[in-house]
Amino acid sequence: MPLLEQSFYEKNALELAESLLGKLIVKDTPEGRASGIIVETEAYMGAEDRAAHSYGNRRTRRTEIMFGKAGSVYTYQMHTHTLVNVVAAEVDTPQAVLIRAVEPVEGLHLMEKRRPGRKQVEWTNGPGKLTKALGIAMSDYGSHYTVPPLQLFEGWEHGDFEIATGPRIGIDNTGEARHYPWRFFVKGNPYISR
DNA sequence: GGGATGATCCCA
DNA sequence: GGGATCATCCCG
């Protein structure tokens, strides 16, 4: 299965969020490989998006990688959880796409071990859950999706699934931005969050 | 140094 | 519906 090349990432976050659906995200660790098909994403459109960490070009240690090269890995801590993003657009345009849900493909035994006592559908049906299941951590911050150990590959054929949109989740205090339909998901997929 | 703040999860 | 729980940020 072909690796997604640099040029794939060089588009704005809205376009990238939609193109990432159906792609395969792969994480290699000493324990082995775990992977899943991306079935839900959200676009964060940078300086003008009140819901984005980089709103108003806010540039800190945490957001620094959003200003970097498209295809860079942006990981972020939320309470006790790690969330993972794909950096979009050109350098100094701080946009990113949050990966909210995946459908497990490889390393099911690893995921089960990392999500003990949960039903399979609960392994990866949320942004904090899928990082745990795949073994994605803050150590992946600043890496790039074209190099190991965290990579993106072509997955499902285009046209084999239907795309739906809706408002983003968990950004209630962001004015007009909370209503924008910047969440993308595979219609009918059982691993969609919430 | 300290207080406020979450792009969440899990249990009640 | 609310508490857990903590890295990060910003102000002082």
Side-chain angles (χ1 to χ4, degrees):
Chain A
M1 181 160 301
L3 186 69
L4 297 177
E5 56 193 48
Q6 176 61 35
S7 60
F8 169 83
Y9 301 99
E10 294 172 351
K11 52 186 86 144
N12 75 43
L14 280 170
E15 296 172 44
L16 185 61
E18 181 164 353
S19 344
L20 281 170
L21 293 178
K23 299 297 188 272
L24 186 74
I25 184 167
V26 176
K27 176 66 196 263
D28 289 306
T29 67
E31 304 171 277
R33 167 170 291 195
S35 73
I37 292 285
I38 297 172
V39 297
E40 182 178 356
T41 59
E42 281 178 359
Y44 286 87
M45 287 294 280
E48 287 94 56
D49 180 1
R50 276 196 59 184
H53 292 153
S54 53
Y55 176 61
N57 280 313
R58 214 160 78 102
R59 190 165 189 154
T60 67
R61 236 185 2 268
R62 179 177 72 160
T63 63
E64 182 60 34
I65 198 65
M66 291 185 76
F67 293 79
K69 195 171 169 186
S72 295
V73 180
Y74 174 34
T75 48
Y76 154 70
Q77 293 287 141
M78 177 60 171
H79 288 76
T80 56
H81 308 288
T82 304
L83 278 57
V84 69
N85 298 254
V86 183
V87 173
E90 57 266 39
V91 168
D92 289 335
T93 301
Q95 304 182 2
V97 176
L98 172 68
I99 299 176
R100 287 196 57 91
V102 307
E103 176 175 318
V105 175
E106 299 163 281
L108 300 186
H109 60 292
L110 277 180
M111 299 194 206
E112 183 169 29
K113 195 165 108 192
R114 291 164 175 164
R115 301 277 302 141
R118 326 260 169 205
K119 294 179 299 182
Q120 178 164 338
V121 76
E122 313 259 314
W123 292 351
T124 55
N125 67 341
K129 301 178 192 178
L130 72 91
T131 54
K132 189 106 188 288
L134 294 176
I136 296 170
M138 284 308 293
S139 53
D140 290 303
Y141 181 97
S143 179
H144 197 280
Y145 286 103
T146 54
V147 298
L150 180 56
Q151 295 177 285
L152 283 167
F153 295 85
E154 291 289 352
W156 291 345
E157 294 294 323
H158 194 265
D160 280 1
F161 55 95
E162 207 173 332
I163 293 171
T165 65
R168 293 174 292 179
I169 291 176
I171 54 159
D172 294 342
N173 300 315
T174 55
E176 282 302 299
R178 65 173 289 194
H179 303 298
Y180 300 164
W182 288 357
R183 172 173 172 250
F184 299 83
F185 56 98
V186 173
K187 201 172 172 181
N189 189 278
Y191 291 89
I192 301 306
S193 66
R194 294 195 143 176

